[in-house]
Amino acid sequence: RGKVMQEAVSGIESEMIAVLGMKEELLQDLCHQASSLGVVSISNYNCPGQLVVAGEKKAVENVKELALENKARRVISLNTSGPFHTSLLKEASLALKERFKKETFHEMKIPLGHEIEDQSIPEILEKQVMSPVYFEKSIRYMIDQGVDTIIEVGPGKVLSGFVRKIDRSIQLYQIEDMESLKKTVKALKGE
């Protein structure tokens, strides 16, 4: 996945920015305005007040200027190696589609969300590389399904921070090493 993603954006001058404190509709309009300079779109809907824009550098730079002119609270350049979750990853999506033909996938046992019920695992993975990440919507779906505890696995607490901004009542744990794993297991056992 990583290899085909890098190959798809090789030679494309790109950028990703986090836009804080701007309404989704306004930012979408700004992306549309800047699209005459290149591919640009909202790539991540992280949490209330935080959206990520990705695409070709000139277009993203224009969105950055427009967002600040339109009173975005802050715009932060992200250190990434490509314009992930945009249409610029179409070649990666097609490469994954071909690769997945060699694999056997079974039906999902745990639902991922109502919007993808009728799709197979390969279809979801193919689309995922070039489609926006709807993190906030996914967390709200989980909450609506009765989830009240979330465990973030991996370094840092970025996703937990997003979850806190979505719903402060969720019980959060982070696991990034053996010590935090043991601490989380004890907490879940009520020890």
Side-chain angles (χ1 to χ4, degrees):
R1 178 179 181 266
K3 182 180 175 193
V4 297
M5 288 172 70
Q6 274 311 129
E7 289 171 358
V9 297
S10 177
I12 297 174
E13 201 175 350
S14 65
E15 187 173 7
M16 291 183 80
I17 58 172
V19 180
L20 308 182
M22 179 163 276
K23 297 276 185 205
E24 176 183 322
E25 297 78 20
L26 177 55
L27 190 56
Q28 285 174 340
D29 184 50
L30 299 180
C31 288
H32 179 71
Q33 290 177 45
S35 66
S36 63
L37 299 172
V39 173
V40 62
S41 61
I42 299 175
S43 60
N44 300 66
Y45 297 79
N46 290 336
C47 61
Q50 187 179 117
L51 302 165
V52 174
V53 171
E56 293 176 281
K57 190 170 182 70
K58 286 181 183 179
V60 174
E61 288 292 326
N62 188 230
V63 170
K64 184 188 295 187
E65 292 169 18
L66 293 169
L68 291 170
E69 287 172 15
N70 283 274
K71 309 283 190 260
R73 194 179 53 191
R74 194 167 169 210
V75 177
I76 303 164
S77 292
L78 303 176
N79 184 18
T80 62
S81 58
F84 303 117
H85 305 293
T86 69
S87 62
L88 293 168
L89 275 287
K90 183 171 180 128
E91 291 302 316
S93 178
L94 294 172
L96 288 173
K97 183 176 185 169
E98 288 305 308
R99 175 63 177 86
F100 292 154
K101 287 179 180 178
K102 301 174 185 175
E103 302 299 328
T104 301
F105 290 89
H106 302 281
E107 284 190 40
M108 285 184 276
K109 302 222 186 293
I110 299 171
L112 293 175
H114 64 283
E115 294 158 359
I116 54 177
E117 285 176 351
D118 299 328
Q119 296 178 52
S120 68
I121 294 171
E123 289 171 323
I124 294 166
L125 294 172
E126 292 158 21
K127 290 177 184 173
Q128 190 269 344
V129 296
M130 60 178 277
S131 300
V133 175
Y134 294 98
F135 186 80
E136 179 180 355
K137 198 175 201 178
S138 297
I139 296 300
R140 291 194 188 284
Y141 174 79
M142 291 168 63
I143 293 166
D144 290 346
Q145 299 305 304
V147 171
D148 62 3
T149 303
I150 294 177
I151 302 169
E152 179 175 1
V153 179
K157 300 177 181 181
V158 172
L159 299 179
S160 294
F162 294 161
V163 173
R164 274 190 201 92
K165 290 180 181 176
I166 295 166
D167 187 329
R168 293 187 90 43
S169 70
I170 296 295
Q171 179 66 52
L172 293 166
Y173 299 95
Q174 295 85 25
I175 298 174
E176 59 183 338
D177 55 22
M178 191 54 72
E179 181 183 330
S180 57
L181 172 63
K182 289 176 183 176
K183 182 179 174 185
T184 299
V185 169
K186 280 185 176 184
L188 290 171
K189 286 181 175 180
E191 295 175 7

